[in-house]
Amino acid sequence: MKLLEKILVATDFSQSSGYAVQTAQALAKAFGSEIILIHVIPKVPDSLVNLRTVRMAIRERLYDLSKELTKAGVRAVESVVEVGVAFDRIIRVSERLDVNAIVVGSGDRAEGGAGHLGVTPERLARKASKPVLVAKAGATPVFKRILCAVDLSDPSRRALANAVHLARTFQAELAV
């Protein structure tokens, strides 16, 4: 299995999600990966909004985004629309589709100020069994420096092997 065969990219169409898409695109082009886009519609009890209409509008936006990615050279793009709590639905889809990584944007300024990770990225990083890459707003999608924390466990050995592979692919500095 390739290092990054399938990448799940969470998008809410915000500016920070755009950085996540750019980062996933760079990874997909470098590793020949498939990108799976996911958007989670928050469940609102007793909502007057027609969920079917919302789903259709979201699917249209995801389709447009997938066309852009395909035009940019990404080999395959799939889209998923879910309803519920964002981090929970993203984790479930990541496990169901057996992705190799989840890419998400850091929180927007409205979500807690500059530098704030964001609720969804933080929960994903804590609870997901898959590696979570948080794309920082304004950062280039090419890796220049990689930090890999290890504790000599089997998962950290895999993380280190992946970090070495990423560092070689992007000619990045690696700190362990």
Side-chain angles (χ1 to χ4, degrees):
M1 177 185 281
K2 290 189 295 184
L3 173 65
L4 290 172
E5 190 172 337
K6 294 181 188 177
I7 303 169
L8 182 64
V9 184
T11 181
D12 59 5
F13 307 108
S14 66
Q15 185 176 13
S16 65
S17 292
Y19 294 118
V21 171
Q22 288 174 354
T23 299
Q25 178 182 323
L27 287 167
K29 288 174 80 173
F31 292 101
S33 310
E34 172 185 344
I35 288 182
I36 302 163
L37 299 168
I38 183 170
H39 178 87
V40 180
I41 302 166
K43 191 172 188 176
V44 180
D46 302 324
S47 175
L48 298 176
V49 175
N50 183 338
L51 194 55
R52 184 175 180 172
T53 304
V54 172
R55 272 185 190 269
M56 286 175 40
I58 297 299
R59 285 192 192 284
E60 263 184 53
R61 288 191 71 182
L62 289 173
Y63 177 74
D64 292 342
L65 187 53
S66 69
K67 281 195 325 191
E68 289 175 31
L69 287 166
T70 302
K71 203 181 287 186
V74 175
R75 75 174 170 90
V77 181
E78 182 182 333
S79 298
V80 177
V81 178
E82 293 280 320
V83 177
V85 178
F87 84 92
D88 180 57
R89 301 312 308 164
I90 294 167
I91 289 172
R92 288 177 192 233
V93 168
S94 75
E95 291 168 354
R96 185 179 79 228
L97 298 179
D98 194 26
V99 302
N100 303 102
I102 301 167
V103 180
V104 64
S106 63
D108 285 328
R109 288 177 183 254
E111 198 176 319
H116 181 69
L117 186 61
V119 174
T120 298
E122 182 178 338
R123 287 182 178 164
L124 283 170
R126 290 180 186 270
K127 297 180 184 256
S129 63
K130 309 291 181 174
V132 176
L133 192 150
V134 180
K136 182 180 175 185
T140 65
V142 178
F143 300 91
K144 293 181 182 175
R145 291 182 295 198
I146 298 170
L147 172 64
C148 182
V150 296
D151 62 5
L152 305 179
S153 66
D154 286 339
S156 73
R157 287 181 221 275
R158 286 192 305 275
L160 181 57
N162 291 341
V164 167
H165 192 61
L166 282 170
R168 284 184 179 152
T169 300
F170 288 99
Q171 299 178 353
E173 176 185 330
L174 174 61
V176 180

